[in-house]
Amino acid sequence: MNINDLELFILVAEQGSFAKAAESLNTRRALVSRRIAELEKQLGASLFTRTTRAMSLTPSGELYLEQVAPLLKQLKNASFVFKNRYNEVQGRVRIGLLPFADKMLDQQIASFVHSYPQVQLDITVITGGFKDIARLGLDLVIDINQPHDSQFTSKTLLNFERKIYASPSYLEKSSVIETLEDLQYQSSLGFRGANGLVEEKWNFQQATITAHHKVICSDYNTLYNLCLGGAGITLLPEIIVHKAVENKLLVNVLPELSAGFSDLNLIYPYDANLSHATKVLIEHLTTVK
């Protein structure tokens, strides 16, 4: 059984679509579909239920994912530790990190620090995205924007979904929120992008509303903390609030609403003379999930 096919199976399960998985790998959907079909043939079981509108894991697929994912992660981690032991990596890597990206990549960064103790990560919090690479003398940046410039290489690390959240204390004091229209009468916390534009409208799959922002901020971490404190409702990446939701510190308001998905990208100069430590970090971040 090919380990690449297992990685592909996990990717398709995470993306929920052959097309999305093919796009992230820059390959054809038909090829992804064929490789999954071959894997199912080897296992003697269907892993995905396919319809014209949606695709989901079968019970066998869910069980297989539960068993395979941690084993594959352990195998990758073992490989990184082995490489570090016999090919010692040293040096400093200068990274530009968006204020909220630490919550998304904390485990991957911690894993790298453990595997490569001779490498120093010099992290700078940035607001200008990939444009800060030259300005601040960075080796790479983690950004939600894609550079439309052949001078840069961009690799997607993960994608995240934004939903509406509020604290229980805010909901106790606010008017009832039962419909999309009710959001217009709430105190909202708005996001300002790196381009300086404020997200005045919240675009959902069902409709678009005009939010009445009581606070505007360019940092998701600050919005997260203000939301925890009961200042209002806001759109936040699910990946950085899931622990707060599990601990009942935040509530997903109108959970059927989604503001869509965005990518978190690793970006570095295309023709840069990257150090060995930087190359190893890039490989680690794009491989270890």
Side-chain angles (χ1 to χ4, degrees):
M1 189 169 294
N2 192 325
I3 191 172
N4 292 329
D5 288 339
L6 299 182
E7 291 178 332
L8 179 61
F9 162 66
I10 293 174
L11 178 62
V12 172
E14 291 175 343
Q15 299 281 355
S17 163
F18 288 146
K20 289 181 179 179
E23 183 178 354
S24 66
L25 295 173
N26 194 26
T27 188
R28 293 177 291 109
R29 180 190 181 284
L31 179 59
V32 172
S33 179
R34 184 167 68 249
R35 286 175 58 187
I36 293 297
E38 291 173 354
L39 179 60
E40 290 176 320
K41 184 177 180 181
Q42 293 178 47
L43 295 172
S46 296
L47 299 175
F48 295 98
T49 298
R50 304 161 175 84
T51 67
T52 56
R53 293 189 176 183
M55 185 184 74
S56 61
L57 285 167
T58 62
S60 296
E62 292 178 355
L63 179 61
Y64 194 59
L65 179 64
E66 181 181 339
Q67 297 294 320
V68 168
L71 292 176
L72 199 57
K73 183 176 181 179
Q74 291 177 19
L75 181 62
K76 290 178 180 179
N77 286 340
S79 175
F80 278 117
V81 171
F82 181 86
K83 286 181 181 180
N84 179 55
R85 180 172 297 174
Y86 292 98
N87 300 285
E88 188 169 324
V89 182
Q90 303 182 49
R92 180 176 66 146
V93 184
R94 296 158 298 182
I95 308 169
L97 204 64
L98 291 177
F100 67 92
D102 59 328
K103 286 186 173 68
M104 298 184 176
L105 300 174
D106 53 353
Q107 294 183 8
Q108 292 92 323
I109 291 175
S111 173
F112 179 85
V113 171
H114 174 72
S115 299
Y116 299 95
Q118 300 303 316
V119 176
Q120 180 190 58
L121 300 183
D122 185 349
I123 299 175
T124 300
V125 176
I126 60 170
T127 57
F130 62 90
K131 297 178 182 178
D132 282 340
I133 291 179
R135 186 175 70 85
L136 299 176
L138 305 173
D139 296 306
L140 55 88
V141 300
I142 309 297
D143 192 11
I144 58 176
N145 296 305
Q146 280 278 9
H148 300 290
D149 190 329
S150 59
Q151 296 181 9
F152 294 95
T153 296
S154 176
K155 297 185 177 182
T156 299
L157 298 179
L158 54 86
N159 60 11
F160 57 90
E161 183 179 24
R162 290 195 305 156
K163 290 195 168 189
I164 308 169
Y165 296 93
S167 69
S169 63
Y170 173 82
L171 294 175
E172 287 176 3
K173 300 173 184 177
S174 72
S175 57
V176 176
I177 307 175
E178 295 181 338
T179 66
L180 186 65
E181 289 72 24
D182 293 335
L183 295 176
Q184 301 182 68
Y185 306 104
Q186 303 299 317
S187 296
S188 62
L189 313 176
F191 180 72
R192 176 186 283 113
N195 57 8
L197 298 179
V198 177
E199 192 175 24
E200 299 284 2
K201 295 183 181 298
W202 286 355
N203 298 309
F204 303 105
Q205 294 173 337
Q206 295 86 343
T208 296
I209 68 166
T210 299
H212 301 288
H213 300 318
K214 299 298 183 182
V215 178
I216 297 171
C217 182
S218 59
D219 174 16
Y220 276 131
N221 274 341
T222 301
L223 290 179
Y224 170 79
N225 289 323
L226 290 173
C227 189
L228 277 177
I233 63 173
T234 190
L235 284 174
L236 288 171
E238 186 276 336
I239 195 171
I240 71 174
V241 301
H242 67 278
K243 290 183 180 178
V245 173
E246 288 177 1
N247 294 326
K248 299 182 179 180
L249 300 175
L250 287 178
V251 176
N252 183 190
V253 179
L254 301 178
E256 69 277 9
L257 297 180
S258 170
F261 289 81
S262 299
D263 293 330
L264 191 67
N265 305 302
L266 188 155
I267 302 169
Y268 54 92
Y270 176 75
D271 58 353
N273 185 21
L274 300 177
S275 67
H276 182 46
T278 301
K279 292 178 181 178
V280 172
L281 176 61
I282 291 172
E283 179 184 4
H284 186 90
L285 292 178
T286 54
T287 304
V288 176
K289 302 297 183 183

